[in-house]
Amino acid sequence: MSRLTATVGARVQSIVYGEPTPEEIDAELRLTTRIDLAHLVMLGDRKLIDAADAAALVGLIERLRAARFRPLHDAPTPRGLYLAYEQLLSAELGAGTGGRLHTGRSRNDLKATATALRLRAELTELVSELSRFQAVLLARARAHRDVIMPVHTHFQAAMPVTYGYYLAGVAHALGRDIAALRRCGDELDRCPMGASAVAGTDLPIDPTRTARLLGFAGPARHAVDAVASRDTALRALAAAAGAALTISRIGTDLQLWSSAEFGFVAFPDRLVGGSSAMPQKRNAFLLEHVRAKAGAAIGAWTAAAATMRATPFTNSIEVGTEAVAAVWPGLRAVLEGTVLARALVGGGRPVPERMLARAEDGFVGATALANRLVRQGIPFRTAHEVVGGAVRRAVGRGAVRLAAEHLPAELSDTEISLPALVAEQRFGGGPGAFDPVFDSAYADLTGHADWLRAVREAQDAADRELAAGLAALTGSRTRSPGDGGVR
């Protein structure tokens, strides 16, 4: 910036740099200053900054953090918030001290690191919320494991299952979505700090030390890649959108099943809304929000991917700023949809008598009856035709369910009990094998909990190491940079 003597006008500044609120200033600079503190410890270790300058910078940064960066709330930002913050450091401490903070780095690797830290924090929060939803699904699945209902294909009653079995199936699908997000979190193990503008630096810095202080496993392997790439952010948003898609599908089922025509699921008053014109209505409107959040996530991914498309493989505003800007609202939409879905699944209750009646009226035991003929040596296609004929005769006589008089001689003494049929469907992951189905989903859930615990413990360890490094650098006790929430 030193060769420049003018900047853009106020309106263009607003477009390019935005007009951040005090909350946004605090969130952005809390991440930035966390990186600053780790960088200062490393510079001190490498004798690239003297103790007096380091102590002065650490002290001012800590005071700004404690004040939630209020001195910058009304400061002019002609070249963005970061440079306004740097200028404040130099104004308070003098250029000879304030200007030393930027030794051996660039805004490029700083911004890439801040993005990685924020993404890691948001992924951890999202995995936590999705895991809580998976836990609710499994708790409801266990509670309703014996509630018989028809499962549908092509919107037609197909076979008998239980409501608990259905919920366990959604839990399995959600577990894979969570695993995909975890993989994205695991990719964030390399710290971009040290890559500098685009090709590293000739100063003898220690990127491994900085990475460890920030909770990364190690530094970036390639400087251009470190500042050019935001592929993990894009993959994380895609994985989050996948979770939102799964959640939107159960949202569709619950909205259909809670309608008067189905009456399978009932929601308490707190989870439904009324109508401004129709006093009889009980609208499960929250489910519409759940389904819409998936659209927001997909739109965010599309916007981010389209913005990254065909950009040069180097530091780029399109990638590092514009594309990444679309990621955060997309992740937030998935988080919000997860919270709503958890409340709805936890608060909704099946109506067992309605579910059972519809299963009995839907001829959903027909496949099991055909399989009983198969056990007698009849080819399945023949058995299929025989039972299909029985259903046709029952329908022709106005019956809504199969009875002994509709069945062929081979099945004339067969008792049609849907609970018994469900219990027999224990092969191929069917509802009769509920316990192993449940146990495998629960194992996924415990794996997610272990991952979350490891991530948090690693971050806590990095916080302690950074606090110790700052204390050694300044010769005094400093607060952990993790204090205050955003990491």
Side-chain angles (χ1 to χ4, degrees):
M1 295 295 180
S2 58
R3 66 178 291 182
L4 304 179
T5 59
T7 187
V8 296
R11 187 174 184 186
V12 175
Q13 286 179 33
S14 175
I15 292 171
V16 174
Y17 301 118
E19 297 177 351
T21 65
E23 293 75 18
E24 290 169 337
I25 290 172
D26 181 58
E28 180 177 337
L29 290 181
R30 197 157 294 276
L31 277 176
T32 299
T33 54
R34 179 179 175 78
I35 299 167
D36 287 348
L37 294 171
H39 186 64
L40 282 169
V41 170
M42 182 276 294
L43 291 178
D45 290 348
R46 302 294 289 176
K47 309 302 181 186
L48 291 170
I49 188 171
D50 64 44
D53 287 337
L57 280 163
V58 170
L60 179 54
I61 291 170
E62 288 286 3
R63 291 194 297 275
L64 287 171
R65 286 169 67 91
R68 302 185 71 85
F69 304 97
R70 276 192 297 274
L72 285 156
H73 287 182
D74 299 315
T77 56
R79 294 191 177 96
L81 178 61
Y82 173 74
L83 286 181
Y85 155 71
E86 263 207 353
Q87 288 165 2
L88 174 64
L89 297 182
S90 292
E92 292 285 331
L93 302 174
T97 296
R100 296 189 186 281
L101 175 61
H102 212 51
T103 301
R105 73 180 192 187
S106 162
R107 275 201 298 176
N108 298 350
D109 59 346
L110 177 63
K111 189 168 188 177
T113 303
T115 297
L117 286 173
R118 180 176 178 182
L119 185 59
R120 186 170 67 191
E122 297 219 7
L123 285 181
T124 302
E125 183 182 13
L126 184 54
V127 167
S128 178
E129 288 295 339
L130 287 166
S131 297
R132 291 178 66 190
F133 180 38
Q134 189 183 30
V136 169
L137 284 166
L138 290 174
R140 295 296 93 201
R142 185 163 49 191
H144 304 305
R145 61 180 294 171
D146 297 322
V147 177
I148 302 295
M149 69 172 290
V151 67
H152 294 75
T153 60
H154 309 288
F155 289 93
Q156 303 297 317
M159 295 181 73
V161 295
T162 70
Y163 184 57
Y165 173 76
Y166 165 84
L167 293 176
V170 178
H172 272 277
L174 193 66
R176 292 191 298 276
D177 295 326
I178 298 170
L181 285 164
R182 284 173 49 186
R183 286 192 291 273
C184 293
D186 290 340
E187 287 181 12
L188 297 169
D189 64 340
R190 294 284 161 180
C191 179
M193 287 300 292
S196 194
V198 70
T201 178
D202 57 342
L203 292 171
I205 61 173
D206 183 2
T208 299
R209 173 70 161 147
T210 308
R212 190 169 61 248
L213 293 171
L214 292 172
F216 294 91
R221 297 184 175 95
H222 192 287
V224 176
D225 178 43
V227 299
S229 300
R230 300 295 189 276
D231 52 299
T232 298
L234 198 60
R235 263 192 301 282
L237 184 53
L245 286 173
T246 298
I247 294 170
S248 76
R249 297 179 73 183
I250 187 175
T252 294
D253 286 341
L254 290 177
Q255 189 149 45
L256 187 66
W257 294 345
S258 64
S259 66
E261 287 75 13
F262 272 79
F264 283 6
V265 177
F267 292 109
D269 287 351
R270 63 184 174 84
L271 295 177
V272 298
S275 165
S276 65
M278 296 163 283
Q280 84 282 6
K281 295 290 292 300
R282 297 183 85 257
N283 299 323
F285 73 102
L286 292 177
L287 288 165
E288 297 175 45
H289 286 285
V290 169
R291 286 155 46 197
K293 297 298 183 184
I298 294 167
W301 183 90
T302 302
T307 304
M308 289 188 192
R309 172 192 169 276
T311 54
F313 192 75
T314 184
N315 182 68
S316 166
I317 293 293
E318 296 105 308
V319 175
T321 300
E322 295 286 355
V324 168
V327 171
W328 313 126
L331 293 177
R332 181 58 48 179
V334 180
L335 184 75
E336 292 171 349
T338 302
V339 172
L340 293 176
R342 186 175 71 243
L344 288 158
V345 171
R349 292 294 182 266
V351 183
E353 61 276 10
R354 181 75 172 178
M355 288 181 164
L356 179 60
R358 185 65 191 95
E360 290 176 337
D361 295 348
F363 304 102
V364 294
T367 301
L369 292 175
N371 287 337
R372 290 184 180 183
L373 292 177
V374 169
R375 291 194 189 99
Q376 299 176 25
I378 297 175
F380 178 77
R381 281 296 164 210
T382 302
H384 187 282
E385 292 175 4
V386 169
V387 176
V391 172
R392 187 167 56 250
R393 285 191 296 275
V395 172
R397 297 173 187 176
V400 295
R401 62 189 64 172
L402 285 172
E405 62 268 21
H406 307 129
L407 299 175
E410 297 90 339
L411 296 172
S412 58
D413 60 350
T414 299
E415 180 182 357
I416 304 173
S417 165
L418 291 183
L421 295 183
V422 168
E424 291 174 2
Q425 293 166 198
R426 61 185 184 277
F427 303 102
F434 181 86
D435 285 341
V437 165
F438 179 91
D439 290 346
S440 59
Y442 188 78
D444 288 343
L445 179 62
T446 57
H448 305 327
D450 291 342
W451 183 87
L452 284 166
R453 188 180 307 108
V455 168
R456 289 166 176 155
E457 288 175 352
Q459 188 61 66
D460 288 342
D463 288 349
R464 291 192 297 271
E465 186 173 353
L466 179 52
L470 289 169
L473 181 66
T474 62
S476 64
R477 183 185 181 279
T478 61
R479 291 187 342 138
S480 166
D483 296 345
V486 180
R487 289 178 169 175

